[in-house]
Every structure is written in structure tokens, then in C-alpha cells.
Amino acid sequence: MKCFYDPAQDAVGTCKSCGKGLSPNHLTDLGKGLACRDRCEGDVKALITLIDRNIASSAATNQILKRSSLTAYGSGTFLFAMGLIFVFVGLKNRQLDFPIYLGGAFTAYGLWTLSRSFRHAAIVSQLPEESPPKA
Ligand SMILES: [Zn+2]
């Protein structure tokens, strides 16, 4: 590959932002990527920062997703149990139909929430275990 800015020179790398081939005279090495000198340094610095931030936050993101799954499981269980209690109270006291309807709605919503939490847990369990990189 030849240098985009000086076709007489061989490229020794490519710009992390625009992908153009670069000779040593037309590149800036930013440590984690090369940039077109005086053109793409800002974009490449922003890309490097974005990648570093993404790597650092991925472990926390996985933990948040796992906790969210547990919260949905707890909520579904609570709603289902409360629904059963309302239905039971309604059936014991036949003067009130409202607890039966309310309990039915709670039970159905609890089952739906539990179902979603199981599907979510299956997806989350496939996420890789990651530890944040040492800075
Ligand atoms: Zn460039």
C-alpha cells in the first residue's frame, strides 16, 4: 500500500479515523492508533477515548443487566404472590368481587413479568464475564 498523501512512499500504517494509508512523514502515532498528521488527530483521539470508555464500562454494564434480571424475577414473584393473596381474600369474602379481579390481574402480570425475567436471564447468562482493564 502506498501513502495517500505521498504515493512515492510506502504506507507503514493506516489512519484509525479515515483508513488512508500513511507513510512515516504523514502520520501521527497516538499510542493506540495512527492518525493523518494535521488532519485526523482529533477524530482518532475521540475514537481512542470512546473505545477506552466502552471497555471500562462493559463489566459494569453486564453487572447492571444481571441485577436487572434479578429485580424482574423478584418483582414477578411478588406480583404473583400478591395476586394469589387477593384472589384468596376475594374467594373467602364473596361479598367483594374486586379483590378477585385485582388478584387475577396481579397474578397474570406477575406471570408475564416472571416469564420475561427468565428470558432475560437466559440472554444475560450468555454475556462474557469481564473484569475492567487495569488503568
Ligand atoms: Zn485520516
Side-chain angles (χ1 to χ4, degrees):
M1 182 190 310
K2 294 293 183 184
C3 176
F4 181 81
Y5 301 103
D6 184 2
Q9 299 282 320
D10 285 332
V12 295
T14 57
C15 174
K16 194 174 188 113
S17 176
C18 67
K20 292 173 180 162
L22 301 170
S23 65
N25 293 335
H26 294 93
L27 66 79
T28 300
D29 187 353
L30 295 171
K32 293 183 178 178
L34 303 177
C36 299
R37 179 170 288 157
D38 301 327
R39 289 183 178 89
C40 296
E41 284 107 335
D43 290 342
V44 173
K45 284 178 186 173
L47 278 171
I48 290 168
T49 301
L50 183 66
I51 291 167
D52 287 346
R53 189 179 308 145
N54 196 358
I55 290 169
S57 67
S58 68
T61 302
N62 288 351
Q63 282 186 332
I64 290 167
L65 289 171
K66 286 177 182 174
R67 285 187 190 143
S68 167
S69 182
L70 287 174
T71 301
Y73 177 76
S75 298
T77 302
F78 176 77
L79 289 166
F80 181 74
M82 291 304 294
L84 290 180
I85 290 170
F86 273 98
V87 168
F88 179 75
V89 167
L91 290 175
K92 288 278 278 184
N93 184 1
R94 289 302 303 167
Q95 295 170 335
L96 299 173
D97 287 339
F98 179 71
I100 295 172
Y101 299 134
L102 186 65
F106 269 86
T107 303
Y109 187 61
L111 285 174
W112 182 74
T113 302
L114 277 172
S115 151
R116 283 188 51 219
S117 78
F118 289 135
R119 278 183 274 147
H120 188 251
I123 293 168
V124 168
S125 70
Q126 295 173 355
L127 293 174
E129 292 290 333
E130 293 182 46
S131 57
K134 311 269 186 299

PDB file of all heavy atoms in Angstrom, residues 38-60:
ATOM      1  N   ASP A  38      -1.982  16.430  11.166  1.00  0.00           N
ATOM      2  CA  ASP A  38      -2.670  17.721  10.997  1.00  0.00           C
ATOM      3  C   ASP A  38      -4.053  17.605  10.361  1.00  0.00           C
ATOM      4  O   ASP A  38      -4.592  18.589   9.847  1.00  0.00           O
ATOM      5  CB  ASP A  38      -1.807  18.696  10.169  1.00  0.00           C
ATOM      6  CG  ASP A  38      -0.465  18.968  10.819  1.00  0.00           C
ATOM      7  OD1 ASP A  38      -0.410  18.971  12.075  1.00  0.00           O
ATOM      8  OD2 ASP A  38       0.520  19.164  10.086  1.00  0.00           O
ATOM      9  N   ARG A  39      -4.628  16.426  10.347  1.00  0.00           N
ATOM     10  CA  ARG A  39      -5.977  16.259   9.775  1.00  0.00           C
ATOM     11  C   ARG A  39      -6.910  15.483  10.716  1.00  0.00           C
ATOM     12  O   ARG A  39      -8.012  15.927  10.996  1.00  0.00           O
ATOM     13  CB  ARG A  39      -5.899  15.531   8.429  1.00  0.00           C
ATOM     14  CG  ARG A  39      -5.306  16.379   7.324  1.00  0.00           C
ATOM     15  CD  ARG A  39      -5.335  15.616   5.998  1.00  0.00           C
ATOM     16  NE  ARG A  39      -4.802  16.446   4.922  1.00  0.00           N
ATOM     17  CZ  ARG A  39      -3.529  16.509   4.582  1.00  0.00           C
ATOM     18  NH1 ARG A  39      -2.639  15.781   5.238  1.00  0.00           N
ATOM     19  NH2 ARG A  39      -3.123  17.282   3.596  1.00  0.00           N
ATOM     20  N   CYS A  40      -6.466  14.317  11.125  1.00  0.00           N
ATOM     21  CA  CYS A  40      -7.393  13.403  11.823  1.00  0.00           C
ATOM     22  C   CYS A  40      -7.043  13.174  13.292  1.00  0.00           C
ATOM     23  O   CYS A  40      -7.667  12.322  13.931  1.00  0.00           O
ATOM     24  CB  CYS A  40      -7.433  12.057  11.104  1.00  0.00           C
ATOM     25  SG  CYS A  40      -8.090  12.118   9.427  1.00  0.00           S
ATOM     26  N   GLU A  41      -6.094  13.908  13.850  1.00  0.00           N
ATOM     27  CA  GLU A  41      -5.698  13.637  15.231  1.00  0.00           C
ATOM     28  C   GLU A  41      -6.881  13.747  16.198  1.00  0.00           C
ATOM     29  O   GLU A  41      -7.049  12.906  17.087  1.00  0.00           O
ATOM     30  CB  GLU A  41      -4.580  14.575  15.704  1.00  0.00           C
ATOM     31  CG  GLU A  41      -3.228  14.226  15.161  1.00  0.00           C
ATOM     32  CD  GLU A  41      -2.763  15.211  14.100  1.00  0.00           C
ATOM     33  OE1 GLU A  41      -3.638  15.838  13.474  1.00  0.00           O
ATOM     34  OE2 GLU A  41      -1.548  15.340  13.901  1.00  0.00           O
ATOM     35  N   GLY A  42      -7.687  14.779  16.048  1.00  0.00           N
ATOM     36  CA  GLY A  42      -8.835  14.974  16.954  1.00  0.00           C
ATOM     37  C   GLY A  42      -9.823  13.829  16.870  1.00  0.00           C
ATOM     38  O   GLY A  42     -10.297  13.331  17.902  1.00  0.00           O
ATOM     39  N   ASP A  43     -10.109  13.389  15.649  1.00  0.00           N
ATOM     40  CA  ASP A  43     -11.051  12.276  15.488  1.00  0.00           C
ATOM     41  C   ASP A  43     -10.489  10.990  16.087  1.00  0.00           C
ATOM     42  O   ASP A  43     -11.211  10.225  16.736  1.00  0.00           O
ATOM     43  CB  ASP A  43     -11.361  12.049  14.002  1.00  0.00           C
ATOM     44  CG  ASP A  43     -12.191  13.171  13.408  1.00  0.00           C
ATOM     45  OD1 ASP A  43     -12.817  13.930  14.179  1.00  0.00           O
ATOM     46  OD2 ASP A  43     -12.215  13.284  12.162  1.00  0.00           O
ATOM     47  N   VAL A  44      -9.205  10.738  15.860  1.00  0.00           N
ATOM     48  CA  VAL A  44      -8.604   9.497  16.391  1.00  0.00           C
ATOM     49  C   VAL A  44      -8.532   9.549  17.908  1.00  0.00           C
ATOM     50  O   VAL A  44      -8.805   8.548  18.579  1.00  0.00           O
ATOM     51  CB  VAL A  44      -7.220   9.247  15.749  1.00  0.00           C
ATOM     52  CG1 VAL A  44      -6.519   8.072  16.417  1.00  0.00           C
ATOM     53  CG2 VAL A  44      -7.360   8.983  14.248  1.00  0.00           C
ATOM     54  N   LYS A  45      -8.202  10.709  18.476  1.00  0.00           N
ATOM     55  CA  LYS A  45      -8.205  10.824  19.946  1.00  0.00           C
ATOM     56  C   LYS A  45      -9.598  10.547  20.497  1.00  0.00           C
ATOM     57  O   LYS A  45      -9.750   9.866  21.520  1.00  0.00           O
ATOM     58  CB  LYS A  45      -7.751  12.226  20.378  1.00  0.00           C
ATOM     59  CG  LYS A  45      -6.258  12.435  20.262  1.00  0.00           C
ATOM     60  CD  LYS A  45      -5.891  13.868  20.657  1.00  0.00           C
ATOM     61  CE  LYS A  45      -4.416  14.135  20.395  1.00  0.00           C
ATOM     62  NZ  LYS A  45      -4.059  15.546  20.608  1.00  0.00           N
ATOM     63  N   ALA A  46     -10.629  11.063  19.814  1.00  0.00           N
ATOM     64  CA  ALA A  46     -12.008  10.825  20.264  1.00  0.00           C
ATOM     65  C   ALA A  46     -12.357   9.336  20.158  1.00  0.00           C
ATOM     66  O   ALA A  46     -13.012   8.781  21.051  1.00  0.00           O
ATOM     67  CB  ALA A  46     -12.984  11.661  19.432  1.00  0.00           C
ATOM     68  N   LEU A  47     -11.920   8.675  19.082  1.00  0.00           N
ATOM     69  CA  LEU A  47     -12.175   7.237  18.935  1.00  0.00           C
ATOM     70  C   LEU A  47     -11.481   6.433  20.038  1.00  0.00           C
ATOM     71  O   LEU A  47     -12.078   5.513  20.609  1.00  0.00           O
ATOM     72  CB  LEU A  47     -11.673   6.752  17.569  1.00  0.00           C
ATOM     73  CG  LEU A  47     -12.590   6.968  16.385  1.00  0.00           C
ATOM     74  CD1 LEU A  47     -11.858   6.634  15.082  1.00  0.00           C
ATOM     75  CD2 LEU A  47     -13.827   6.102  16.510  1.00  0.00           C
ATOM     76  N   ILE A  48     -10.233   6.780  20.329  1.00  0.00           N
ATOM     77  CA  ILE A  48      -9.488   6.065  21.369  1.00  0.00           C
ATOM     78  C   ILE A  48     -10.182   6.246  22.722  1.00  0.00           C
ATOM     79  O   ILE A  48     -10.365   5.290  23.482  1.00  0.00           O
ATOM     80  CB  ILE A  48      -8.020   6.551  21.410  1.00  0.00           C
ATOM     81  CG1 ILE A  48      -7.288   6.081  20.150  1.00  0.00           C
ATOM     82  CG2 ILE A  48      -7.316   6.046  22.667  1.00  0.00           C
ATOM     83  CD1 ILE A  48      -5.919   6.735  19.944  1.00  0.00           C
ATOM     84  N   THR A  49     -10.603   7.476  23.015  1.00  0.00           N
ATOM     85  CA  THR A  49     -11.312   7.739  24.271  1.00  0.00           C
ATOM     86  C   THR A  49     -12.612   6.939  24.334  1.00  0.00           C
ATOM     87  O   THR A  49     -12.944   6.344  25.364  1.00  0.00           O
ATOM     88  CB  THR A  49     -11.614   9.249  24.399  1.00  0.00           C
ATOM     89  OG1 THR A  49     -10.379   9.957  24.367  1.00  0.00           O
ATOM     90  CG2 THR A  49     -12.364   9.565  25.674  1.00  0.00           C
ATOM     91  N   LEU A  50     -13.351   6.907  23.220  1.00  0.00           N
ATOM     92  CA  LEU A  50     -14.614   6.173  23.171  1.00  0.00           C
ATOM     93  C   LEU A  50     -14.399   4.679  23.399  1.00  0.00           C
ATOM     94  O   LEU A  50     -15.127   4.043  24.176  1.00  0.00           O
ATOM     95  CB  LEU A  50     -15.285   6.415  21.806  1.00  0.00           C
ATOM     96  CG  LEU A  50     -16.643   5.803  21.578  1.00  0.00           C
ATOM     97  CD1 LEU A  50     -17.675   6.438  22.500  1.00  0.00           C
ATOM     98  CD2 LEU A  50     -17.058   5.993  20.126  1.00  0.00           C
ATOM     99  N   ILE A  51     -13.389   4.120  22.758  1.00  0.00           N
ATOM    100  CA  ILE A  51     -13.099   2.684  22.916  1.00  0.00           C
ATOM    101  C   ILE A  51     -12.679   2.386  24.352  1.00  0.00           C
ATOM    102  O   ILE A  51     -13.156   1.421  24.960  1.00  0.00           O
ATOM    103  CB  ILE A  51     -12.030   2.241  21.900  1.00  0.00           C
ATOM    104  CG1 ILE A  51     -12.613   2.279  20.484  1.00  0.00           C
ATOM    105  CG2 ILE A  51     -11.504   0.841  22.241  1.00  0.00           C
ATOM    106  CD1 ILE A  51     -11.569   2.156  19.380  1.00  0.00           C
ATOM    107  N   ASP A  52     -11.796   3.214  24.916  1.00  0.00           N
ATOM    108  CA  ASP A  52     -11.359   3.004  26.310  1.00  0.00           C
ATOM    109  C   ASP A  52     -12.546   3.072  27.266  1.00  0.00           C
ATOM    110  O   ASP A  52     -12.668   2.261  28.185  1.00  0.00           O
ATOM    111  CB  ASP A  52     -10.312   4.043  26.710  1.00  0.00           C
ATOM    112  CG  ASP A  52      -8.959   3.791  26.061  1.00  0.00           C
ATOM    113  OD1 ASP A  52      -8.746   2.684  25.509  1.00  0.00           O
ATOM    114  OD2 ASP A  52      -8.110   4.709  26.086  1.00  0.00           O
ATOM    115  N   ARG A  53     -13.418   4.053  27.066  1.00  0.00           N
ATOM    116  CA  ARG A  53     -14.593   4.205  27.938  1.00  0.00           C
ATOM    117  C   ARG A  53     -15.528   3.002  27.800  1.00  0.00           C
ATOM    118  O   ARG A  53     -16.070   2.504  28.780  1.00  0.00           O
ATOM    119  CB  ARG A  53     -15.331   5.500  27.589  1.00  0.00           C
ATOM    120  CG  ARG A  53     -16.427   5.837  28.582  1.00  0.00           C
ATOM    121  CD  ARG A  53     -17.145   7.128  28.247  1.00  0.00           C
ATOM    122  NE  ARG A  53     -16.220   8.225  28.055  1.00  0.00           N
ATOM    123  CZ  ARG A  53     -16.389   9.213  27.172  1.00  0.00           C
ATOM    124  NH1 ARG A  53     -17.462   9.244  26.419  1.00  0.00           N
ATOM    125  NH2 ARG A  53     -15.512  10.168  27.058  1.00  0.00           N
ATOM    126  N   ASN A  54     -15.703   2.516  26.574  1.00  0.00           N
ATOM    127  CA  ASN A  54     -16.577   1.375  26.331  1.00  0.00           C
ATOM    128  C   ASN A  54     -16.035   0.119  27.005  1.00  0.00           C
ATOM    129  O   ASN A  54     -16.784  -0.629  27.633  1.00  0.00           O
ATOM    130  CB  ASN A  54     -16.721   1.159  24.818  1.00  0.00           C
ATOM    131  CG  ASN A  54     -17.880   0.274  24.467  1.00  0.00           C
ATOM    132  OD1 ASN A  54     -18.579  -0.224  25.332  1.00  0.00           O
ATOM    133  ND2 ASN A  54     -18.079   0.072  23.181  1.00  0.00           N
ATOM    134  N   ILE A  55     -14.741  -0.097  26.892  1.00  0.00           N
ATOM    135  CA  ILE A  55     -14.123  -1.265  27.538  1.00  0.00           C
ATOM    136  C   ILE A  55     -14.271  -1.164  29.053  1.00  0.00           C
ATOM    137  O   ILE A  55     -14.633  -2.141  29.719  1.00  0.00           O
ATOM    138  CB  ILE A  55     -12.636  -1.376  27.127  1.00  0.00           C
ATOM    139  CG1 ILE A  55     -12.537  -1.777  25.655  1.00  0.00           C
ATOM    140  CG2 ILE A  55     -11.908  -2.382  28.017  1.00  0.00           C
ATOM    141  CD1 ILE A  55     -11.138  -1.656  25.081  1.00  0.00           C
ATOM    142  N   ALA A  56     -14.026   0.027  29.597  1.00  0.00           N
ATOM    143  CA  ALA A  56     -14.103   0.207  31.053  1.00  0.00           C
ATOM    144  C   ALA A  56     -15.523   0.009  31.569  1.00  0.00           C
ATOM    145  O   ALA A  56     -15.721  -0.491  32.677  1.00  0.00           O
ATOM    146  CB  ALA A  56     -13.590   1.590  31.439  1.00  0.00           C
ATOM    147  N   SER A  57     -16.520   0.365  30.791  1.00  0.00           N
ATOM    148  CA  SER A  57     -17.902   0.279  31.282  1.00  0.00           C
ATOM    149  C   SER A  57     -18.568  -1.050  30.967  1.00  0.00           C
ATOM    150  O   SER A  57     -19.647  -1.321  31.490  1.00  0.00           O
ATOM    151  CB  SER A  57     -18.735   1.423  30.707  1.00  0.00           C
ATOM    152  OG  SER A  57     -18.880   1.262  29.319  1.00  0.00           O
ATOM    153  N   SER A  58     -17.960  -1.905  30.157  1.00  0.00           N
ATOM    154  CA  SER A  58     -18.650  -3.138  29.761  1.00  0.00           C
ATOM    155  C   SER A  58     -18.851  -4.072  30.951  1.00  0.00           C
ATOM    156  O   SER A  58     -19.890  -4.731  31.045  1.00  0.00           O
ATOM    157  CB  SER A  58     -17.907  -3.840  28.628  1.00  0.00           C
ATOM    158  OG  SER A  58     -16.677  -4.339  29.080  1.00  0.00           O
ATOM    159  N   ALA A  59     -17.902  -4.150  31.872  1.00  0.00           N
ATOM    160  CA  ALA A  59     -18.077  -5.017  33.035  1.00  0.00           C
ATOM    161  C   ALA A  59     -19.231  -4.503  33.892  1.00  0.00           C
ATOM    162  O   ALA A  59     -20.059  -5.289  34.367  1.00  0.00           O
ATOM    163  CB  ALA A  59     -16.796  -5.081  33.849  1.00  0.00           C
ATOM    164  N   ALA A  60     -19.304  -3.192  34.086  1.00  0.00           N
ATOM    165  CA  ALA A  60     -20.393  -2.620  34.875  1.00  0.00           C
ATOM    166  C   ALA A  60     -21.729  -2.844  34.177  1.00  0.00           C
ATOM    167  O   ALA A  60     -22.736  -3.126  34.823  1.00  0.00           O
ATOM    168  CB  ALA A  60     -20.147  -1.130  35.105  1.00  0.00           C
TER     169      ALA A  60
END
